[in-house]
Amino acid sequence: MMKPVILTGDRPSGPLHLGHYVGSLANRVHYQQQGWTQYIIIADVQALTDNYEHPHKVHDNVFEVACDYLAVGLDPAQTTFFIQSQVPEIADLTIYYLNLVTVNRLRRNPTVKTEIEQKGFRDSIPAGFFVYPVSQAADITCVKATTVPVGEDQLPMIEQTNEIVRTFNRIYKKEVLTEVRAIVPEVSRLVGIDGKTKMSKSLGNAIYLSDSADVVAQKVKSMYTDPSHIKVSDPGQVEGNTVFTYLDVFDTRKDEVVELKGGLGDMVLKKRLTEVLNNFLDPIRTRRAVFYNDKASVMEILKKGTLVTREVAANTVQEVKDVMYLNY
Ligand code: TRP
């Protein structure tokens, strides 16, 4: 089998949290260790589709997200980072692909549909937002990615991308574009500290990779546990106890966690979880601070990766234009 070409990334809408770590960052480090070709897109253009009135927020978050990537051990010598807006080839491809997609098809995209509801767009959907799946197809195909690791909620994007790829190759009679395969990680999400839904910035239930040890302690203290567990002697409930959910993910002493499930007070469990999380986050925080205090180097890393990506993308655009007779 050929070595996969991975394309993955995030909208820069804030610093990354433990949910991102569990759902994608850890896997990206793994792909890097496999020696696979990996591109990571910082999707600032996509972030602007529903944030166009806050451009400087998006701008600042590009740096935040880049610091998080570098802090968890993604290495620019092995993984190529790029900023979406700085690869004009993506905008080029998007314009051509837009002819291959109907408005009705976009309307049926479940991810877009859900987001339109969540954001309350109703009858005022920004056109740029509405067509972002097409731009995402351009992100993926510009480097001829073969594999895109995504959460469940992004699967419709991959489907839409493959439809565009097939339509393009059929109409222009050449296998210019490559179909992609989605990898959905086994553990794709982490519940937030409120114990209700997945960890997310907008719900205010996140622990960030950049949180200080004190903030982590505070957040663990506020965690949802077991309301029926009042006295230490009461039998503890494990199911749905967020502290245990986190211990299961982050505590490496698994046999001790099993023992703890026999019953113990919240205080003891939370103290342990605080230690476990801070031990896990300490090296990440230390590395992050080094990058954060050297913004010039981080931006240089992004610039270099963007140049590498542009070279590959320019080849794709050339092939695309050739079969579309856009060569004069
Ligand atoms: N849609 C992704 C998100 O909301 C970000 C993204 C943009 C992306 N382009 C991509 C993900 C290409 C994977 C592949 O976080």
Side-chain angles (χ1 to χ4, degrees):
M1 202 184 84
M2 278 228 313
K3 226 171 61 162
V5 177
I6 306 260
L7 188 287
T8 167
D10 302 280
R11 284 185 208 177
S13 46
L16 302 180
H17 50 62
L18 289 176
H20 292 115
Y21 186 85
V22 170
S24 55
L25 297 175
N27 295 320
R28 292 174 192 174
V29 173
H30 169 77
Y31 306 140
Q32 177 177 281
Q33 285 162 349
Q34 299 297 304
W36 295 350
T37 303
Q38 178 166 237
Y39 294 90
I40 298 190
I41 181 171
I42 306 183
D44 58 343
V45 177
Q46 193 177 108
L48 280 172
T49 63
D50 64 333
N51 258 301
Y52 47 87
E53 66 285 65
H54 308 295
H56 105 279
K57 195 184 97 186
V58 173
H59 176 272
D60 291 353
N61 283 329
V62 169
F63 173 60
E64 292 285 341
V65 166
C67 287
D68 288 326
Y69 291 156
L70 294 164
V72 298
L74 290 164
D75 169 11
Q78 302 172 72
T79 289
T80 304
F81 305 101
F82 69 97
I83 305 177
Q84 190 182 27
S85 64
Q86 304 307 298
V87 181
E89 289 76 10
I90 292 174
D92 250 10
L93 292 175
T94 304
I95 288 286
Y96 305 137
Y97 295 170
L98 277 168
N99 295 330
L100 312 179
V101 181
T102 66
V103 169
N104 269 326
R105 175 63 181 88
L106 286 167
R107 216 176 259 139
R108 283 199 311 271
N109 183 307
T111 314
V112 172
K113 242 176 157 169
T114 311
E115 276 183 282
I116 286 171
E117 267 167 46
Q118 280 172 352
K119 297 174 205 296
F121 283 141
R122 293 172 198 281
D123 294 330
S124 337
I125 308 164
F129 176 83
F130 190 61
V131 304
Y132 92 70
V134 181
S135 151
Q136 190 156 335
D139 301 338
I140 294 168
T141 54
C142 79
V143 295
K144 300 203 172 171
T146 61
T147 313
V148 182
V150 285
E152 291 271 352
D153 62 314
Q154 289 282 308
L155 281 176
M157 298 298 157
I158 307 305
E159 211 179 294
Q160 184 115 52
T161 299
N162 282 332
E163 280 176 34
I164 290 171
V165 167
R166 286 191 292 264
T167 307
F168 185 96
N169 291 344
R170 177 171 48 78
I171 292 178
Y172 302 111
K173 300 188 184 63
K174 198 174 170 196
E175 296 291 304
V176 169
L177 303 178
T178 317
E179 279 197 53
V180 291
R181 196 170 60 88
I183 328 183
V184 181
E186 255 168 72
V187 190
S188 68
R189 54 184 54 187
L190 180 69
V191 72
I193 57 173
D194 58 358
K196 284 189 195 127
T197 45
K198 78 167 178 174
M199 187 175 281
S200 91
K201 181 176 144 279
S202 53
L203 296 167
N205 62 3
I207 294 177
Y208 294 95
L209 301 179
S210 48
D211 277 347
S212 69
D214 285 347
V215 169
V216 171
Q218 230 178 323
K219 287 183 176 174
V220 170
K221 219 181 244 170
S222 77
M223 251 183 186
Y224 178 85
T225 49
D226 174 7
S228 63
H229 196 271
I230 297 157
K231 287 182 290 182
V232 176
S233 55
D234 292 340
Q237 198 188 324
V238 173
E239 194 65 35
N241 183 327
T242 316
V243 177
F244 275 123
T245 309
Y246 281 52
L247 284 173
D248 282 338
V249 177
F250 293 102
D251 198 328
T252 47
R253 296 157 299 178
K254 299 292 175 210
D255 43 338
E256 286 183 33
V257 174
V258 170
E259 247 171 70
L260 287 171
K261 287 179 179 169
L264 252 182
D266 273 3
M267 291 283 281
V268 179
L269 290 177
K270 286 186 169 177
K271 186 163 168 277
R272 182 180 179 112
L273 180 59
T274 302
E275 270 172 31
V276 164
L277 288 182
N278 278 329
N279 283 339
F280 170 77
L281 287 172
D282 264 337
I284 295 177
R285 270 195 291 253
T286 307
R287 275 196 303 269
R288 195 183 194 282
V290 173
F291 289 111
Y292 194 81
N293 292 319
D294 187 5
K295 187 166 180 178
S297 299
V298 174
M299 297 321 285
E300 192 54 35
I301 288 169
L302 297 184
K303 211 173 228 171
K304 279 203 181 128
T306 300
L307 271 180
V308 170
T309 308
R310 280 201 69 183
E311 246 175 70
V312 179
N315 273 326
T316 308
V317 169
Q318 192 56 58
E319 287 177 61
V320 161
K321 283 180 146 181
D322 279 346
V323 295
M324 292 179 76
Y325 293 94
L326 296 167
N327 46 2
Y328 302 98

